[in-house]
Amino acid sequence: MGILLMDFCFLGAKCVVVTAEYRLAPENPFPAAVDDAVTALKWVVDFGKEELGVNPTKVAVGGSSSGGNLATVLSLLASTFTPSIPLTFLLLTIPVIDQTATAETSWSSNANAPWLTPARMTWYRDMYLTHPEDSKKWTASPNLAPKEILAKSPSVWMGVSECDILFEEGKAYAELLRGNGVEVECVVYPGSTHSILSLDGKSLPTSWPQSNKP
């Protein structure tokens, strides 16, 4: 997620925000970005107190769109580490959850939504998942994780856009987690699209340079 979008998400938050400059596809396909997210989380836990002055027992993760996919996968992987890393929270906006989705399945209700079309989303996916079979791995599609791992997810706040092809998979994942005993708040933004965060300008401080405002 871009630095400007991160600013939108965390304005007013009393926390230290760490962004991971993970490797990007197609030069570095799956699972490079997942591996980098894991490395970043472990660094914060191991060195965050000394380097950043943070409490490593109170770590949350979050992301938007493809970053939301990485954050979701990371929130589940954290419970599988030895020792495990107990996360406090997962913050998601318009996340990519199901890498097996198509225009004939969950994308169908918003197949004609602006900007993020099925064709564009499929192109992104093909750059990231160079082996189609990887789409069925839960480290790519966290909704396919075993129930015992889903049940260990931290509490979740998720924002989804009503006119986004990712809308249905986001809502479905919220229900899946609830069914496994996880506390989830899923907020639907009526009439909004996948570009919702880049359209937000009301919460920007007046002291920001005009060039930083959308």
Side-chain angles (χ1 to χ4, degrees), residues 20-213:
E21 190 175 352
Y22 55 85
R23 288 169 290 171
L24 301 176
E27 293 82 4
N28 300 282
F30 175 87
V34 175
D35 293 340
D36 291 349
V38 168
T39 298
L41 174 61
K42 289 184 174 180
W43 184 90
V44 170
V45 171
D46 292 340
F47 302 105
K49 183 176 181 179
E50 176 183 353
E51 298 290 338
L52 304 174
V54 301
N55 184 343
T57 67
K58 294 184 178 181
V59 177
V61 296
S64 177
S65 194
S66 59
N69 177 270
L70 292 178
T72 304
V73 170
L74 187 61
S75 72
L76 300 178
L77 278 172
S79 69
T80 70
F81 299 153
T82 304
S84 63
I85 297 177
L87 298 174
T88 61
F89 193 64
L90 173 62
L91 173 65
L92 300 173
T93 57
I94 50 174
V96 177
I97 297 295
D98 186 0
Q99 301 280 17
T100 69
T102 68
E104 287 71 43
T105 58
S106 65
W107 294 348
S108 60
S109 61
N110 279 317
N112 295 315
W115 196 80
L116 190 59
T117 61
R120 187 187 293 262
M121 188 64 196
T122 300
W123 184 81
Y124 287 147
R125 177 190 291 166
D126 290 345
M127 296 298 101
Y128 181 55
L129 300 173
T130 53
H131 301 290
E133 62 272 17
D134 286 342
S135 66
K136 297 180 181 179
K137 295 179 178 179
W138 70 260
T139 47
S141 298
N143 57 307
L144 301 181
K147 290 184 177 181
E148 60 269 20
I149 291 179
L150 290 168
K152 295 179 181 179
S153 168
S155 299
V156 181
W157 185 94
M158 182 191 306
V160 292
S161 291
E162 183 184 30
C163 301
D164 180 11
I165 65 170
L166 305 179
F167 175 60
E168 297 294 345
E169 63 193 76
K171 286 200 308 176
Y173 188 65
E175 288 302 318
L176 179 64
L177 290 179
R178 289 190 187 109
N180 283 279
V182 179
E183 181 181 350
V184 181
E185 180 180 1
C186 183
V187 178
V188 176
Y189 291 91
S192 62
T193 70
H194 192 74
S195 303
I196 183 172
L197 286 182
S198 62
L199 300 175
D200 178 16
K202 291 183 179 180
S203 58
L204 288 175
T206 57
S207 59
W208 274 36
Q210 187 66 31
S211 61
N212 283 342
K213 296 182 179 180

